[in-house]
Amino acid sequence: MKYITCLFLFTALVSCKLSDDTNPIVVEPIDYTEINEEQINTYLEDNFLQSQKTDSGLHYIIENQGEGAKPTATSNVTVAYKGYLLDGRVFDQNTDGLSIGLDQVISGWTEGIPLFNERGNGILLIPAHLGYGSFDVNGIPGGSVLIFEVELISVN
């Protein structure tokens, strides 16, 4: 009986061992750059759109440049927008205007909004590495291309 109790305690201790800190489970992000580029190009072709592309991979379409002030990557701006995925599913929108610092948003906005002057509008096609990356965020699947119809209302 003494040996059975010792065996039970040994088994319990081994099976209740906390995580092995020397070998933690790490989930590596996936690089969707090439996949997103193909997806964006297909979307543009399917919708008869032409975009310009920055060195980072951001695609943008300026429908109206605007004529007011031009923000910087650290400006506080007021923007009306509609954000959706390639399949058309809207995940966020604000038609009244959101005031926010461009240093507090996804990289695609930090880079893309300063392409417009006040009262300008257009479309930003943001690959995952400039958006939410390869992990799911607030119902947006990891690796998603984000499309934003934006209007820069003002540079505050």
Side-chain angles (χ1 to χ4, degrees):
M1 183 68 148
K2 182 178 178 183
Y3 294 106
I4 294 174
T5 304
C6 286
L7 181 61
F8 175 77
L9 283 172
F10 178 76
T11 305
L13 288 172
V14 170
S15 64
C16 292
K17 183 178 181 246
L18 296 176
S19 68
D20 180 0
D21 292 332
T22 61
N23 292 316
I25 297 173
V26 177
V27 178
E28 294 291 326
I30 299 169
D31 184 1
Y32 285 93
T33 305
E34 289 181 28
I35 295 167
N36 287 168
E37 183 65 22
E38 290 175 20
Q39 292 170 322
I40 290 170
N41 287 329
T42 298
Y43 179 86
L44 292 168
E45 288 174 23
D46 291 349
N47 291 281
F48 308 102
L49 298 171
Q50 291 186 343
S51 71
Q52 295 179 33
K53 181 181 167 187
T54 67
D55 290 340
S56 71
L58 172 71
H59 285 256
Y60 63 98
I61 301 166
I62 296 177
E63 295 171 342
N64 173 19
Q65 182 63 54
E67 19 182 271
K70 195 173 200 74
T72 67
T74 59
S75 294
N76 184 285
V77 297
T78 301
V79 181
Y81 65 91
K82 178 170 122 178
Y84 51 96
L85 302 175
L86 290 169
D87 65 6
R89 182 171 55 97
V90 176
F91 59 82
D92 193 14
Q93 67 182 350
N94 186 320
T95 56
D96 297 328
L98 169 71
S99 292
I100 195 161
L102 290 177
D103 55 355
Q104 301 171 341
V105 294
I106 59 174
S107 299
W109 269 40
T110 302
E111 181 180 359
I113 298 299
L115 298 170
F116 302 94
N117 294 73
E118 282 182 324
R119 294 178 295 287
N121 69 290
I123 300 171
L124 301 176
L125 296 107
I126 302 174
H129 70 277
L130 298 175
Y132 296 113
S134 62
F135 301 105
D136 297 354
V137 176
N138 296 327
I140 299 170
S144 292
V145 171
L146 309 176
I147 304 171
F148 285 95
E149 295 175 7
V150 297
E151 176 189 357
L152 177 56
I153 297 171
S154 64
V155 178
N156 306 324

